[in-house]
Amino acid sequence: GDSVTQMEGPVTLSEEAFLTINCTYTATGYPSLFWYVQYPGEGLQLLLKATKADDKGSNKGFEATYRKETTSFHLEKGSVQVSDSAVYFCALSPRGAGGTSYGKLTFGQGTILTVHP
Amino acid sequence: DAMVIQNPRYQVTQFGKPVTLSCSQTLNHNVMYWYQQKSSQAPKLLFHYYDKDFNNEADTPDNFQSRRPNTSFCFLDIRSPGLGDAAMYLCATSRDQGGSTYEQYFGPGTRLTVT
């Protein structure tokens, strides 16, 4: 079945440091890929997405590129802020699912990011 | 703003006392999901509705039930909460049209405490 693997956490950085959170996936076909962010005590917010190979999703300074050859969707940000401290989840959904999966999300285990001033 | 709303944000119930969590959405999405999330783990899908069709995950305990009286509202019923059911419960919605499903939008969650 489908699966998503994220780098082990937690990740602790100083403000303005470069961030990479690795994400690799296993899936049949061409899934859609997502990064969700969860701030303390809140629900998940969609951070960015990519729906086909070589697509780059970007939002709020974060970027991730859909790499089919390496089945990866690594999250990057050039300069993190204290306000970026949160849990980050990589996820996939079968694209054009319809049918019985109805876009069901498969999540990675989450990576806790803490940014210090 | 169109959104997913969950009430209450915090719910305390007693061991074995039935409890209902509520979700509403103004996005007019046809698919609604309920997730259970413990301690910053990945959310675990309990079930989802595609329009009025209910789809239960194979490992969801019978103790968890759901109702969707109309497009906008969906309820999670826990018939006899145990201590292990204490968690954050997340509602999400998505739009599925013509075989293409779009991203899920999550509510803020309800934190359930069982005493």
Side-chain angles (χ1 to χ4, degrees):
Chain A
D2 296 345
S3 68
V4 176
T5 302
Q6 289 181 231
M7 65 184 293
E8 294 293 327
V11 174
T12 302
L13 296 173
S14 298
E15 204 164 27
E16 300 183 0
F18 184 85
L19 168 70
T20 299
I21 301 178
N22 290 338
C23 171
T24 57
Y25 68 90
T26 302
T28 55
Y30 297 86
S32 293
L33 301 175
F34 307 91
W35 277 100
Y36 283 87
V37 58
Q38 186 174 32
Y39 298 101
E42 299 293 326
L44 276 69
Q45 299 176 25
L46 179 65
L47 182 59
L48 52 84
K49 66 177 182 180
T51 57
K52 61 183 187 294
D54 299 326
D55 265 3
K56 177 184 283 187
S58 62
N59 185 26
K60 299 180 180 180
F62 291 90
E63 293 183 340
T65 301
Y66 190 142
R67 300 290 188 197
K68 182 164 175 58
E69 63 277 12
T70 55
T71 62
S72 65
F73 193 54
H74 305 321
L75 182 67
E76 296 182 337
K77 187 175 185 182
S79 176
V80 294
Q81 304 301 311
V82 173
S83 57
D84 294 327
S85 298
V87 183
Y88 291 81
F89 291 97
C90 184
L92 69 81
S93 173
R95 189 163 63 94
T100 57
S101 54
Y102 299 127
K104 177 179 174 178
L105 285 173
T106 298
F107 287 96
Q109 68 269 37
T111 300
I112 300 172
L113 171 65
T114 302
V115 181
H116 292 298
Chain B
D1 289 342
M3 56 197 304
V4 182
I5 302 163
Q6 290 189 245
N7 286 306
R9 293 293 309 274
Y10 300 91
Q11 176 73 57
V12 180
T13 191
Q14 294 177 340
F15 182 94
K17 184 176 181 180
V19 65
T20 295
L21 309 182
S22 167
C23 177
S24 64
Q25 52 124 344
T26 59
L27 297 161
N28 202 32
H29 285 171
N30 58 335
V31 190
M32 294 187 76
Y33 309 79
W34 278 105
Y35 291 85
Q36 180 191 65
Q37 187 183 28
K38 295 185 177 182
S39 303
S40 289
Q41 297 176 17
K44 177 182 180 299
L45 182 64
L46 295 174
F47 26 61
H48 71 274
Y49 276 93
Y50 185 95
D51 293 324
K52 294 183 179 180
D53 293 333
F54 177 71
N55 297 271
N56 202 29
E57 293 299 298
D59 57 354
T60 298
D62 292 340
N63 199 26
F64 291 87
Q65 303 288 322
S66 186
R67 297 169 282 136
R68 189 179 185 185
N70 53 53
T71 300
S72 300
F73 285 87
C74 195
F75 300 99
L76 170 62
D77 300 309
I78 308 176
R79 295 193 296 187
S80 181
L83 297 179
D85 296 328
M88 174 79 88
Y89 289 88
L90 298 168
C91 175
T93 72
S94 68
R95 175 166 60 100
D96 187 344
Q97 290 182 334
S100 293
T101 304
Y102 299 85
E103 62 267 22
Q104 293 185 24
Y105 292 82
F106 284 80
T110 295
R111 171 74 65 187
L112 178 68
T113 300
V114 181
T115 61

